[in-house]
Each structure stands twice: as C-alpha cells, then as structure tokens.
Amino acid sequence: MEGLLTRCRALSTLATCSHQLPRYVPHRHHHCAPERGQRLVLSRVFQPQNLREDQVLSLEGKSSDLTCKSQRLMLQVGLILPASPGCYHLMPYTVRAMEKLIRVIDQEMQAIGGQKINMPSLSPAELWQATSRWDLMGRELLRLKDRHGKDYCLGPTHEEAVTALVASQKKLSYKQLPLLLYQVTRKFRDEPRPRFGLLRGREFYMKDMYTFDSSPETAQQTYSLVCGAYCSLFDRLGLRWIKAQANVGSIGGTVSHEFQLPVDVGEDWLAICPSCHFSANTETLDLSQKNCPTCQGPLTETKGTEVGHTFYLGTKYSSIFNAQFTNVHGEPSLAEMGCYGLGVTRILAAAIEVLSTEDCIRWPSLLAPYQVCLIPPKKGSKEAAAIELMGHLYDDIVEAVPQLRGEVLLDDRTHLTIGNRLKDANKLGYPFVIIAGKRALEDPAHYEVWCQNTGEVAFLNKEGVMELLTHVQVI
Amino acid sequence: MEGLLTRCRALSTLATCSHQLPRYVPHRHHHCAPERGQRLVLSRVFQPQNLREDQVLSLEGKSSDLTCKSQRLMLQVGLILPASPGCYHLMPYTVRAMEKLIRVIDQEMQAIGGQKINMPSLSPAELWQATSRWDLMGRELLRLKDRHGKDYCLGPTHEEAVTALVASQKKLSYKQLPLLLYQVTRKFRDEPRPRFGLLRGREFYMKDMYTFDSSPETAQQTYSLVCGAYCSLFDRLGLRWIKAQANVGSIGGTVSHEFQLPVDVGEDWLAICPSCHFSANTETLDLSQKNCPTCQGPLTETKGTEVGHTFYLGTKYSSIFNAQFTNVHGEPSLAEMGCYGLGVTRILAAAIEVLSTEDCIRWPSLLAPYQVCLIPPKKGSKEAAAIELMGHLYDDIVEAVPQLRGEVLLDDRTHLTIGNRLKDANKLGYPFVIIAGKRALEDPAHYEVWCQNTGEVAFLNKEGVMELLTHVQVI
C-alpha cells in the first residue's frame, strides 16, 4: 500500500497539466475573487444576451401568458430561460442572486439554532401512504417507479421524511430539544397551471425547516422564534411583508401563518386591519366578516403573494412515525412539531415583482448579482482616454474595498455609447453604476455615480467613490 | 398604491415579532458566525448521536453489504442516514463538508471562466429522443409522466438540455466563445445495485460543466484548461489522483479521461506505467496489452474509483440541436463541445475512503466540517477549574483568528471523561483537537493540541495555540 501511494504521488506530480492555474491566496469569500488585473467583463457574461432583443419567448404558451412583470423582465434580460412548462434554467446572474439569498437564509436559520441537512428528492411511497397524503395530494404529486417497480414521488415537502428520520434516532433526549432541522433543496409540484415564471413553477427551490419540541409550550416558543427569523430576513431584504393568519391545507396542524408580499399579481386576498396588528388570508375568514375579529374595526383587502408559510403541527406526524424522545422523567414522549417554508426562487421573483418598474429590474440591495457596474467611455469618443482610467478604477476599488472583489463588473462593450450601456445597466438594476464621461478627464477625475436603488446621481472623485462603496453591504 | 405601501410598512413595523434577533455585523463569511459569547456546543449538534452506538443499519440490506469503509464510518458517526436504497439523508457535518467542497469547485471553475447556471431536474423526453438516449440509457433513466401524460426523465446529466439552451441563443458570436457553463445540482441514476454509500447512489450531487468553442483547436485548449482545473482541485484537497485514458460510454465524443482516486474498493482497474505519464482504464486497452503504448515499459495495475470524467464531444450534440455561433466570417458554424463531470458527494466519500483508518474518519483539511474541537475537563475532576478557561479560549480563538468563526466546536459533554471525548473527536476527524488537561492549571496554562491529520501532539500555551491556528486554511 505504501508503495502504491508513493507511486501515485509521483504520478500526480508528473501528470500533464497543460495549464498552470494561479494559486489562491486563502480567503473565505464564496465567490471566486479574480486576481488583481483580472477583471470581470460584461462582454463575456452569458447572461444578458437577450438584452437588446425585443422578442421574449415563453414556453408556457402565447405571449398573453406573460401577465406578470417579473416574468417578463426576467425573460427579457435573460435571467431565466424556459426549459419546460413551469421549469426554468437559471442563468448566471440569477444563480448569484439565489446563492446570496441562501446565505442570508442560512444566517437567519443558524442564528436561531437551525442545523442544515439535505434529504433526497426521491421519496418512497410508503412514507406518504402512512400519512394518507399519497392519495390526498392527488395529481400535485409527481410519481414514478424505479426499475424494481417500487413507487416514489418527488418530494414537494418533507414532513414524512424528516419525521421518519428523527424517529430513527432512538436515543433522543429532551436535553437535545428543540431540534431545528432545515434544508434548501429543489422541490417538485405538478401545478395544474404553472405561470408567472418563478412565482408558480413545477420545480423550484424551497427552504423547509422542521422543528421538534418537548412540549406544546416550548413548541409555541419555537414557532415564534422561527417567525421572528422570517421577519428579520424580509426586513434585511428591505421587503414590506404581511404576516397573515392562514389555513393549514394539506400539511395539517392547528396554527398557521403566511408571510405575504403585497403585490398586484398576488394570488391571495388578504384582509388587513389598519388599526391593529390583525391580518389574515381571506380564506380563513367568514365571507360575511367585514370587521376585524380582534378590535372590531373595519377590514380592508389587498392582494398578496405568499413567500413563506409556517405551521404548528402538534403531534400529527410524530404520532404516525412514532418520533419520540426521552422526557425529563425518563419516559418516551411524542415530539411536538412545527414546519416552516420559504420559497427561495419565489422570493427572488416576488422581490423583483415589487421593487421593479415596468422596464427596469430592481433587486433587494443585498441580493443584487453584482453590486457595481463600471461604464467606460465609447471607443473613438472625445473621452476615450478615460477608458484606461476606468480599468485602474476597477483595480483600485477591489483593492481598497475587499468585500467588493467579485462584485464589480466592467461593461467593456466600448463599441456602444455610454447612453446605450447605461440603459442596459438601468434595466439590470446594479445598485451602483459608475460612468466615466467628460468630467473623467478633469484633474482630479470625476465620475458620474448612479445609486439605482435610491435614484440619486452624483459626481464623485476617486476618494468619494471609495468612501461611498466602503459602506456597501455584501453577503 | 402609495397608501397601501405606507400601510404595509407600518404593519411590518407593528407586526408581532416575539423574538428580537441580534443584528448581524455585515461580513462575507458564509457560515453563520455566532456572536461573541455564543459558542457552538457539541451537545446540541444533531450529528453524532449514533457515535456511541455500535449498531449500524443499512437500508441496502444485510450488514454484509457494508463492504466499504467510508460507508461504514459515515453511518457509524451519523454523517449519513439511509432514506431508500441508494438515497441518503446528509446530516449537518456532511452538509458543511459538501458546501466547502462546492466552494472549492466554484473557485476552480470560475478561475478558468466558468459561469454557474442551474438547469431543472425534470427533463422533457423529446430532448432525449432527439439524441436517441431515451432508448440507449435504458433502465438507468428514472422516467415519469406529468398530469398531462407528458414524458420526462430525471436528468442524470445535461448534454441535451444545455445544448438546446445554447442553441436558443440566436446571436451567439465567436467573440463570446469559449463559453464554459456549469452547475452543481442533484442528479439521478437508477443504478441496478446501489452500494458503497455515497460512492454509488441513485441520487447524488454532481458538478457538470459544458463548454462551447469555435474550433476543434480551441476546444482542445479548453479541454486541457478544465483538466488543469481538476488537477488543481484534487491537489488542493491533498488527494492523490490519476488521470486515466477512458471510454466515452453513452456520453459519446472522441477523447475522454477519468480522474481516479486509487482505492481498494474502486470499481475500475487502471493500467499505469511507472516510467512515463501513461495511465488508462483497462477497458480502453486490449486484453493482451501488457506494455505501455507510449514507452513500451511494463504496465502495472491498480484499482481506482472515478471522481471526475471529461469528454471532448466535438459536434455530436451541437449538430443535433443546431447549436450555432456566428464565426469570424459572419457565417453560422456549429459549436465544438466538451463536457466535464465531478461527483460531489462521491468525492466526499472517496476522500474519506482513502484518508481514514479503519476506525477513524479523516477529511481533506480544507473540507473538515469543523476545523477545531475543544475538550474541557470532566465536571467534578481535579482539573474542573479549567472548564471555564476553555470557554475563554474558545472566545479568544474566534476573536484572534476571524476565519475560524463558525469553525470551532466546544465538546461540552463534561459528564464524559476527556478520554471518551477524545475518542469521539478522533473518530470524527477534526483537524485540531485542543484539550484542557492537568497542565491547563499551570501558569501559564498549557493545552494539549492534537493535529489529527499529521498525527502530531504538542503542549502549547495560549499564544502557541493562536500562532498554530492562524495558519489554518478555511474555505
């Protein structure tokens, strides 16, 4: 064995690597931060190829189906491409935004003690038969047989799987509770009519958390804790949200809330009381109910799109799978459960839906795929001397503001006018666009800085640019 | 609308958040770094509950099926739990290690210009019928019908999907090539006999990259570039690898290599020439071939497990889907393609297979779920005064070595002896284990430091510990 290892070591040293890669300086940034002098340039990004085309295609059928702004804009700039009805390819900008969102979610879930796991999509029929959901879920469940004829579904949610998993832990003690397990994975749901792009798809990313507690009282505390983390998440994204009383649906349980973003294309109607905290999905209310059940004030209605859903489940699932722990008296006891979903791809689309104008995408600042876009002057223009200057500014920014490494994009399409490229940048919604126009040739050079999320424009010298960018939050 | 927004803002401020979460200091670390004073403690980790049990269960059947070390060890310490044959739940330690591996992969892929996308698992039958792989792949393909009776498979690989995607880009210019698109997603393959845990499963994570070039010559350069990135990746993980000439199988193309880790449970036989660079999967050689085809020296054989596979595809797929670009003469031309896979979950298991002893898991240092485990003395022991000291050491480490925030675990099971906990730590393979034993009560305190990957043990004072840990690479 030792001889083998020595030989392999020798082989690996000898093996032909035609390309010598630059070595990395150890760092903990997730995104690949290019070496100094290596600049991220827009002309090489696969993303925005459709940007200058007007034709937007939807596999979901006729263009009349493009009824929602986020879907139209995301297709138009090439953030998503249709693969099959309700299934989209996510293109590089979208993957970057989604990975950022997942990092925010990870922080919030881990801050309350969440532990990240990963459960398979292939879910054995027996689990679903045990809870009767194999029949109850009907045609929403995508089903298949393996080569041995065994039945599976593609998990739209994982109450069954996680409860069976926890039930298999025979030595679980009350001291280890509450247990908060979550995952961020693809989910599948055979929607009767997939639509609105990433808002209602058949394959989508979801964060699902499942909690296990030793008593109904602590389970209620855990429920509040997770709801608090959801509030914190949406606040950090700068999104206005409503936490509404909701139906438990096929998931079951006794208490449920939806986190809704108020938006015109929303598929839910919410009743809101302007004078107290109360808000509810109207399906939970009596049709005749016009007044707030808490303060009796008049209710107003608004449309919302659901981005999160929480359920207090009690022992509905733990009793079926016998998910027990040893209580303080040394006796086996059923765990009190909760489950909590966040639509990951849906939050991206919903955020774009609420923040964008009709023509221009706007992102929650934290999730923008790139924070800064630099636009040098057009080749052959009077300001062309500033093209090189912009390259240096790029290098200086990533040097002086390390968190922006990998976050600055140089729009090197210098055959286009500044105006045309600014139009594109406006459409894609980089939080900061920095232009080298006429005043870049002044001494000291001044750059035109667009803060797209606030609408402010300013002329700043290099120090001013650095000072501004130092404060950019990057996840 | 403005009124609505104002109301919603008010609502969101008012809404009951029973739990006030601590606000984050902005930082770019992926893992949730706890606040000072919040310590990660082992007793609350769901992971190692099976650690002190001897019984190891395998859904794949009898214990005789536990034929491989990595599967046995990973089940034993609760890194994975069986869900269905060939499908595993990944538990928190494993998810951490996998996310680190994905970050290394992202860095290597993006360093050569790779752009990350994300394609659906549901793959329409027509795509696979176009390449005849709907029939060729036979029972390895998991197939299903949606509610409208339309046929899909769960993608085991995405040549069809990505080629159709690129073909849909009608304005692709030679200037944008090479195009290197990759994803890290779950793949599905209905293995006739899933086994060896994560080494041969039915649902697994794979990194798959697809490249598009303007000529066979540049496509060959891209092929070398990606192979170089693979070499760099395995070198960074400290794994000894062999790049072997391989068959193209059902993927097709003209040139193919496998990246193999030499290991006893490997399912491939490799022929290696000790005197030159040559190595090949024996299936590519004539049965009678005993000498190296390049230098005529004698070939030796070794077993390997495949962790990466590269293919030069030519126009096999681009010609079917008409994936064209506009060449330098302004004419449409078929893209030259390559495809490149890395088994993500498989690399984890294979690394554990080659690095571990029969009883103790060892990780590539960069991928260890936690870098440091602190073991304070037993409650009630003579050294018990050092329990508090260990808490301070924890705080000092994450203060002085910021990249270790979220990487230090305190084994707070102080009802157990140091010896028992060290045995667990040894089994789980933290690169650094720091023990507060007798000498922790000396002035200055000395800690027993185990560097588990090198086998070294040393007594160090606080400064020595800090100096040692400063050099730990964390991704």
Side-chain angles (χ1 to χ4, degrees), chain B residues 26-49:
Chain B
H27 59 74
R28 291 197 68 185
H29 296 165
H30 178 63
H31 294 306
C32 182
E35 301 285 303
R36 184 172 170 94
Q38 285 186 2
R39 299 167 190 154
L40 292 168
V41 293
L42 192 61
S43 67
R44 299 308 307 273
V45 180
F46 188 48
Q47 192 76 41
Q49 297 205 47

PDB file of all heavy atoms in Angstrom, chain B residues 26-49:
ATOM      1  N   PRO B  26     -22.209  43.304   9.276  1.00  0.00           N
ATOM      2  CA  PRO B  26     -22.030  42.822   7.903  1.00  0.00           C
ATOM      3  C   PRO B  26     -20.687  42.113   7.725  1.00  0.00           C
ATOM      4  O   PRO B  26     -19.662  42.597   8.182  1.00  0.00           O
ATOM      5  CB  PRO B  26     -22.083  44.099   7.059  1.00  0.00           C
ATOM      6  CG  PRO B  26     -22.014  45.227   8.000  1.00  0.00           C
ATOM      7  CD  PRO B  26     -22.388  44.734   9.348  1.00  0.00           C
ATOM      8  N   HIS B  27     -20.695  40.966   7.146  1.00  0.00           N
ATOM      9  CA  HIS B  27     -19.451  40.257   6.840  1.00  0.00           C
ATOM     10  C   HIS B  27     -19.757  39.321   5.692  1.00  0.00           C
ATOM     11  O   HIS B  27     -20.911  39.105   5.345  1.00  0.00           O
ATOM     12  CB  HIS B  27     -18.941  39.503   8.058  1.00  0.00           C
ATOM     13  CG  HIS B  27     -19.932  38.501   8.583  1.00  0.00           C
ATOM     14  ND1 HIS B  27     -20.191  37.317   7.942  1.00  0.00           N
ATOM     15  CD2 HIS B  27     -20.749  38.525   9.660  1.00  0.00           C
ATOM     16  CE1 HIS B  27     -21.104  36.653   8.618  1.00  0.00           C
ATOM     17  NE2 HIS B  27     -21.480  37.359   9.650  1.00  0.00           N
ATOM     18  N   ARG B  28     -18.747  38.757   5.110  1.00  0.00           N
ATOM     19  CA  ARG B  28     -18.965  37.916   3.942  1.00  0.00           C
ATOM     20  C   ARG B  28     -18.749  36.442   4.217  1.00  0.00           C
ATOM     21  O   ARG B  28     -18.606  35.652   3.309  1.00  0.00           O
ATOM     22  CB  ARG B  28     -18.043  38.340   2.797  1.00  0.00           C
ATOM     23  CG  ARG B  28     -18.398  39.686   2.216  1.00  0.00           C
ATOM     24  CD  ARG B  28     -17.756  39.845   0.883  1.00  0.00           C
ATOM     25  NE  ARG B  28     -18.340  38.943  -0.109  1.00  0.00           N
ATOM     26  CZ  ARG B  28     -17.885  38.826  -1.334  1.00  0.00           C
ATOM     27  NH1 ARG B  28     -16.841  39.516  -1.719  1.00  0.00           N
ATOM     28  NH2 ARG B  28     -18.464  38.008  -2.181  1.00  0.00           N
ATOM     29  N   HIS B  29     -18.659  36.075   5.470  1.00  0.00           N
ATOM     30  CA  HIS B  29     -18.449  34.662   5.750  1.00  0.00           C
ATOM     31  C   HIS B  29     -19.738  33.913   5.483  1.00  0.00           C
ATOM     32  O   HIS B  29     -20.820  34.370   5.814  1.00  0.00           O
ATOM     33  CB  HIS B  29     -18.026  34.462   7.197  1.00  0.00           C
ATOM     34  CG  HIS B  29     -16.705  35.093   7.475  1.00  0.00           C
ATOM     35  ND1 HIS B  29     -16.225  35.332   8.709  1.00  0.00           N
ATOM     36  CD2 HIS B  29     -15.777  35.566   6.620  1.00  0.00           C
ATOM     37  CE1 HIS B  29     -15.046  35.911   8.624  1.00  0.00           C
ATOM     38  NE2 HIS B  29     -14.764  36.070   7.375  1.00  0.00           N
ATOM     39  N   HIS B  30     -19.587  32.765   4.874  1.00  0.00           N
ATOM     40  CA  HIS B  30     -20.779  32.025   4.522  1.00  0.00           C
ATOM     41  C   HIS B  30     -21.431  31.429   5.755  1.00  0.00           C
ATOM     42  O   HIS B  30     -22.606  31.590   5.991  1.00  0.00           O
ATOM     43  CB  HIS B  30     -20.441  30.921   3.542  1.00  0.00           C
ATOM     44  CG  HIS B  30     -21.640  30.122   3.199  1.00  0.00           C
ATOM     45  ND1 HIS B  30     -22.713  30.678   2.552  1.00  0.00           N
ATOM     46  CD2 HIS B  30     -21.973  28.853   3.449  1.00  0.00           C
ATOM     47  CE1 HIS B  30     -23.642  29.765   2.398  1.00  0.00           C
ATOM     48  NE2 HIS B  30     -23.210  28.644   2.928  1.00  0.00           N
ATOM     49  N   HIS B  31     -20.654  30.733   6.542  1.00  0.00           N
ATOM     50  CA  HIS B  31     -21.253  30.091   7.699  1.00  0.00           C
ATOM     51  C   HIS B  31     -21.673  31.146   8.692  1.00  0.00           C
ATOM     52  O   HIS B  31     -21.029  32.162   8.854  1.00  0.00           O
ATOM     53  CB  HIS B  31     -20.267  29.132   8.341  1.00  0.00           C
ATOM     54  CG  HIS B  31     -19.977  28.002   7.441  1.00  0.00           C
ATOM     55  ND1 HIS B  31     -20.965  27.219   6.907  1.00  0.00           N
ATOM     56  CD2 HIS B  31     -18.821  27.556   6.936  1.00  0.00           C
ATOM     57  CE1 HIS B  31     -20.411  26.317   6.132  1.00  0.00           C
ATOM     58  NE2 HIS B  31     -19.122  26.500   6.123  1.00  0.00           N
ATOM     59  N   CYS B  32     -22.742  30.852   9.329  1.00  0.00           N
ATOM     60  CA  CYS B  32     -23.251  31.765  10.313  1.00  0.00           C
ATOM     61  C   CYS B  32     -22.258  31.829  11.450  1.00  0.00           C
ATOM     62  O   CYS B  32     -21.996  30.846  12.123  1.00  0.00           O
ATOM     63  CB  CYS B  32     -24.575  31.222  10.809  1.00  0.00           C
ATOM     64  SG  CYS B  32     -25.337  32.284  11.972  1.00  0.00           S
ATOM     65  N   ALA B  33     -21.663  32.971  11.646  1.00  0.00           N
ATOM     66  CA  ALA B  33     -20.685  33.108  12.705  1.00  0.00           C
ATOM     67  C   ALA B  33     -21.401  33.612  13.944  1.00  0.00           C
ATOM     68  O   ALA B  33     -22.000  34.675  13.930  1.00  0.00           O
ATOM     69  CB  ALA B  33     -19.607  34.091  12.275  1.00  0.00           C
ATOM     70  N   PRO B  34     -21.370  32.823  15.006  1.00  0.00           N
ATOM     71  CA  PRO B  34     -22.128  33.236  16.185  1.00  0.00           C
ATOM     72  C   PRO B  34     -21.550  34.496  16.821  1.00  0.00           C
ATOM     73  O   PRO B  34     -20.377  34.796  16.658  1.00  0.00           O
ATOM     74  CB  PRO B  34     -21.989  32.045  17.134  1.00  0.00           C
ATOM     75  CG  PRO B  34     -21.001  31.113  16.536  1.00  0.00           C
ATOM     76  CD  PRO B  34     -20.598  31.611  15.190  1.00  0.00           C
ATOM     77  N   GLU B  35     -22.380  35.210  17.512  1.00  0.00           N
ATOM     78  CA  GLU B  35     -21.951  36.399  18.258  1.00  0.00           C
ATOM     79  C   GLU B  35     -20.954  35.985  19.334  1.00  0.00           C
ATOM     80  O   GLU B  35     -20.944  34.845  19.770  1.00  0.00           O
ATOM     81  CB  GLU B  35     -23.160  37.028  18.967  1.00  0.00           C
ATOM     82  CG  GLU B  35     -24.279  37.445  18.057  1.00  0.00           C
ATOM     83  CD  GLU B  35     -23.954  38.721  17.292  1.00  0.00           C
ATOM     84  OE1 GLU B  35     -23.666  39.730  17.931  1.00  0.00           O
ATOM     85  OE2 GLU B  35     -23.995  38.676  16.050  1.00  0.00           O
ATOM     86  N   ARG B  36     -20.134  36.962  19.778  1.00  0.00           N
ATOM     87  CA  ARG B  36     -19.209  36.668  20.871  1.00  0.00           C
ATOM     88  C   ARG B  36     -20.007  36.172  22.077  1.00  0.00           C
ATOM     89  O   ARG B  36     -21.033  36.736  22.443  1.00  0.00           O
ATOM     90  CB  ARG B  36     -18.414  37.918  21.265  1.00  0.00           C
ATOM     91  CG  ARG B  36     -17.381  37.601  22.331  1.00  0.00           C
ATOM     92  CD  ARG B  36     -16.422  38.724  22.655  1.00  0.00           C
ATOM     93  NE  ARG B  36     -15.667  38.342  23.859  1.00  0.00           N
ATOM     94  CZ  ARG B  36     -14.486  37.740  23.825  1.00  0.00           C
ATOM     95  NH1 ARG B  36     -13.919  37.461  22.683  1.00  0.00           N
ATOM     96  NH2 ARG B  36     -13.868  37.411  24.952  1.00  0.00           N
ATOM     97  N   GLY B  37     -19.502  35.123  22.666  1.00  0.00           N
ATOM     98  CA  GLY B  37     -20.197  34.568  23.819  1.00  0.00           C
ATOM     99  C   GLY B  37     -21.141  33.451  23.427  1.00  0.00           C
ATOM    100  O   GLY B  37     -21.451  32.592  24.228  1.00  0.00           O
ATOM    101  N   GLN B  38     -21.623  33.488  22.161  1.00  0.00           N
ATOM    102  CA  GLN B  38     -22.425  32.355  21.685  1.00  0.00           C
ATOM    103  C   GLN B  38     -21.455  31.312  21.170  1.00  0.00           C
ATOM    104  O   GLN B  38     -20.754  31.541  20.198  1.00  0.00           O
ATOM    105  CB  GLN B  38     -23.339  32.782  20.541  1.00  0.00           C
ATOM    106  CG  GLN B  38     -24.538  33.592  20.966  1.00  0.00           C
ATOM    107  CD  GLN B  38     -25.468  33.857  19.784  1.00  0.00           C
ATOM    108  OE1 GLN B  38     -25.210  33.397  18.677  1.00  0.00           O
ATOM    109  NE2 GLN B  38     -26.516  34.599  20.018  1.00  0.00           N
ATOM    110  N   ARG B  39     -21.429  30.174  21.815  1.00  0.00           N
ATOM    111  CA  ARG B  39     -20.468  29.148  21.409  1.00  0.00           C
ATOM    112  C   ARG B  39     -21.187  27.968  20.767  1.00  0.00           C
ATOM    113  O   ARG B  39     -22.263  27.588  21.203  1.00  0.00           O
ATOM    114  CB  ARG B  39     -19.665  28.689  22.618  1.00  0.00           C
ATOM    115  CG  ARG B  39     -18.863  29.810  23.247  1.00  0.00           C
ATOM    116  CD  ARG B  39     -18.334  29.409  24.618  1.00  0.00           C
ATOM    117  NE  ARG B  39     -17.781  30.574  25.306  1.00  0.00           N
ATOM    118  CZ  ARG B  39     -17.711  30.683  26.638  1.00  0.00           C
ATOM    119  NH1 ARG B  39     -18.162  29.713  27.411  1.00  0.00           N
ATOM    120  NH2 ARG B  39     -17.192  31.758  27.182  1.00  0.00           N
ATOM    121  N   LEU B  40     -20.555  27.409  19.752  1.00  0.00           N
ATOM    122  CA  LEU B  40     -21.097  26.191  19.147  1.00  0.00           C
ATOM    123  C   LEU B  40     -20.760  25.029  20.061  1.00  0.00           C
ATOM    124  O   LEU B  40     -19.584  24.764  20.324  1.00  0.00           O
ATOM    125  CB  LEU B  40     -20.453  25.963  17.771  1.00  0.00           C
ATOM    126  CG  LEU B  40     -20.803  26.954  16.674  1.00  0.00           C
ATOM    127  CD1 LEU B  40     -19.866  26.773  15.483  1.00  0.00           C
ATOM    128  CD2 LEU B  40     -22.249  26.757  16.236  1.00  0.00           C
ATOM    129  N   VAL B  41     -21.771  24.353  20.568  1.00  0.00           N
ATOM    130  CA  VAL B  41     -21.511  23.265  21.507  1.00  0.00           C
ATOM    131  C   VAL B  41     -21.969  21.932  20.936  1.00  0.00           C
ATOM    132  O   VAL B  41     -23.011  21.837  20.291  1.00  0.00           O
ATOM    133  CB  VAL B  41     -22.185  23.528  22.880  1.00  0.00           C
ATOM    134  CG1 VAL B  41     -21.519  24.715  23.567  1.00  0.00           C
ATOM    135  CG2 VAL B  41     -23.678  23.762  22.720  1.00  0.00           C
ATOM    136  N   LEU B  42     -21.148  20.915  21.182  1.00  0.00           N
ATOM    137  CA  LEU B  42     -21.366  19.613  20.583  1.00  0.00           C
ATOM    138  C   LEU B  42     -22.672  18.959  21.032  1.00  0.00           C
ATOM    139  O   LEU B  42     -23.320  18.250  20.262  1.00  0.00           O
ATOM    140  CB  LEU B  42     -20.187  18.690  20.923  1.00  0.00           C
ATOM    141  CG  LEU B  42     -20.117  17.385  20.133  1.00  0.00           C
ATOM    142  CD1 LEU B  42     -19.981  17.652  18.648  1.00  0.00           C
ATOM    143  CD2 LEU B  42     -18.982  16.520  20.625  1.00  0.00           C
ATOM    144  N   SER B  43     -23.078  19.208  22.281  1.00  0.00           N
ATOM    145  CA  SER B  43     -24.259  18.511  22.802  1.00  0.00           C
ATOM    146  C   SER B  43     -25.513  18.864  22.024  1.00  0.00           C
ATOM    147  O   SER B  43     -26.488  18.135  22.044  1.00  0.00           O
ATOM    148  CB  SER B  43     -24.465  18.851  24.276  1.00  0.00           C
ATOM    149  OG  SER B  43     -24.803  20.215  24.414  1.00  0.00           O
ATOM    150  N   ARG B  44     -25.510  20.008  21.323  1.00  0.00           N
ATOM    151  CA  ARG B  44     -26.692  20.422  20.587  1.00  0.00           C
ATOM    152  C   ARG B  44     -26.648  20.038  19.114  1.00  0.00           C
ATOM    153  O   ARG B  44     -27.582  20.293  18.383  1.00  0.00           O
ATOM    154  CB  ARG B  44     -26.901  21.948  20.713  1.00  0.00           C
ATOM    155  CG  ARG B  44     -27.107  22.434  22.136  1.00  0.00           C
ATOM    156  CD  ARG B  44     -28.221  21.663  22.863  1.00  0.00           C
ATOM    157  NE  ARG B  44     -29.489  21.639  22.137  1.00  0.00           N
ATOM    158  CZ  ARG B  44     -30.419  22.574  22.229  1.00  0.00           C
ATOM    159  NH1 ARG B  44     -30.243  23.601  23.030  1.00  0.00           N
ATOM    160  NH2 ARG B  44     -31.522  22.487  21.547  1.00  0.00           N
ATOM    161  N   VAL B  45     -25.526  19.447  18.690  1.00  0.00           N
ATOM    162  CA  VAL B  45     -25.431  19.068  17.275  1.00  0.00           C
ATOM    163  C   VAL B  45     -26.162  17.751  17.053  1.00  0.00           C
ATOM    164  O   VAL B  45     -25.975  16.800  17.810  1.00  0.00           O
ATOM    165  CB  VAL B  45     -23.952  18.958  16.846  1.00  0.00           C
ATOM    166  CG1 VAL B  45     -23.866  18.565  15.383  1.00  0.00           C
ATOM    167  CG2 VAL B  45     -23.236  20.287  17.068  1.00  0.00           C
ATOM    168  N   PHE B  46     -27.004  17.723  16.034  1.00  0.00           N
ATOM    169  CA  PHE B  46     -27.805  16.538  15.766  1.00  0.00           C
ATOM    170  C   PHE B  46     -26.926  15.373  15.290  1.00  0.00           C
ATOM    171  O   PHE B  46     -27.238  14.224  15.505  1.00  0.00           O
ATOM    172  CB  PHE B  46     -28.850  16.871  14.705  1.00  0.00           C
ATOM    173  CG  PHE B  46     -29.859  15.776  14.480  1.00  0.00           C
ATOM    174  CD1 PHE B  46     -30.501  15.172  15.554  1.00  0.00           C
ATOM    175  CD2 PHE B  46     -30.190  15.361  13.210  1.00  0.00           C
ATOM    176  CE1 PHE B  46     -31.443  14.174  15.359  1.00  0.00           C
ATOM    177  CE2 PHE B  46     -31.130  14.368  12.995  1.00  0.00           C
ATOM    178  CZ  PHE B  46     -31.761  13.775  14.068  1.00  0.00           C
ATOM    179  N   GLN B  47     -25.827  15.740  14.678  1.00  0.00           N
ATOM    180  CA  GLN B  47     -24.955  14.781  14.015  1.00  0.00           C
ATOM    181  C   GLN B  47     -24.600  13.500  14.766  1.00  0.00           C
ATOM    182  O   GLN B  47     -25.001  12.423  14.383  1.00  0.00           O
ATOM    183  CB  GLN B  47     -23.652  15.501  13.670  1.00  0.00           C
ATOM    184  CG  GLN B  47     -22.766  14.729  12.719  1.00  0.00           C
ATOM    185  CD  GLN B  47     -23.286  14.816  11.331  1.00  0.00           C
ATOM    186  OE1 GLN B  47     -23.720  15.863  10.913  1.00  0.00           O
ATOM    187  NE2 GLN B  47     -23.285  13.719  10.611  1.00  0.00           N
ATOM    188  N   PRO B  48     -23.808  13.618  15.828  1.00  0.00           N
ATOM    189  CA  PRO B  48     -23.069  12.413  16.218  1.00  0.00           C
ATOM    190  C   PRO B  48     -23.830  11.573  17.222  1.00  0.00           C
ATOM    191  O   PRO B  48     -23.245  10.995  18.121  1.00  0.00           O
ATOM    192  CB  PRO B  48     -21.805  12.994  16.847  1.00  0.00           C
ATOM    193  CG  PRO B  48     -22.193  14.369  17.293  1.00  0.00           C
ATOM    194  CD  PRO B  48     -23.510  14.723  16.720  1.00  0.00           C
ATOM    195  N   GLN B  49     -25.130  11.485  17.074  1.00  0.00           N
ATOM    196  CA  GLN B  49     -25.895  10.761  18.067  1.00  0.00           C
ATOM    197  C   GLN B  49     -25.639   9.276  18.056  1.00  0.00           C
ATOM    198  O   GLN B  49     -25.826   8.599  19.049  1.00  0.00           O
ATOM    199  CB  GLN B  49     -27.378  11.014  17.851  1.00  0.00           C
ATOM    200  CG  GLN B  49     -27.689  12.461  18.036  1.00  0.00           C
ATOM    201  CD  GLN B  49     -29.113  12.640  18.417  1.00  0.00           C
ATOM    202  OE1 GLN B  49     -29.609  11.962  19.291  1.00  0.00           O
ATOM    203  NE2 GLN B  49     -29.766  13.549  17.753  1.00  0.00           N
TER     204      GLN B  49
END
